[in-house]
Amino acid sequence: MATGVRHASVAGHKPCQTVAKATSPRRLKIVREFEAGVSPSCAGRMVISGRMADVCAELDRMAQREAAVQSA
């Protein structure tokens, strides 16, 4: 387990709550792979790397965008 990182659980169920001290610039890398013959609406395979808090925040943003698209 990384030093200085503490995971917090909140009763209101806020996903991916992480408290950490930033020791380096925040870098988030997202790589998407699309396969031939697969619909463009399919997300394909994804690799998301970076600090856990940044990855969780990006996943939350992706889920919000998906919910907004489905409700429209």
Side-chain angles (χ1 to χ4, degrees):
M1 181 174 237
T3 305
V5 176
R6 184 176 40 183
H7 297 281
S9 176
V10 178
H13 186 274
K14 292 186 180 182
C16 297
Q17 287 257 334
T18 303
V19 178
K21 291 183 179 180
T23 57
S24 64
R26 295 181 185 178
R27 293 185 181 152
L28 182 67
K29 183 176 179 182
I30 303 171
V31 178
R32 292 180 67 179
E33 295 182 15
F34 296 95
E35 297 180 13
V38 177
S39 168
S41 63
C42 178
R45 290 183 284 170
M46 300 180 90
V47 176
I48 305 175
S49 62
R51 288 184 339 124
M52 183 62 75
D54 296 335
V55 170
C56 288
E58 181 61 25
L59 290 171
D60 290 341
R61 283 189 292 272
M62 293 169 86
Q64 288 174 352
R65 281 192 302 262
E66 179 68 20
V69 167
Q70 288 183 357
S71 67

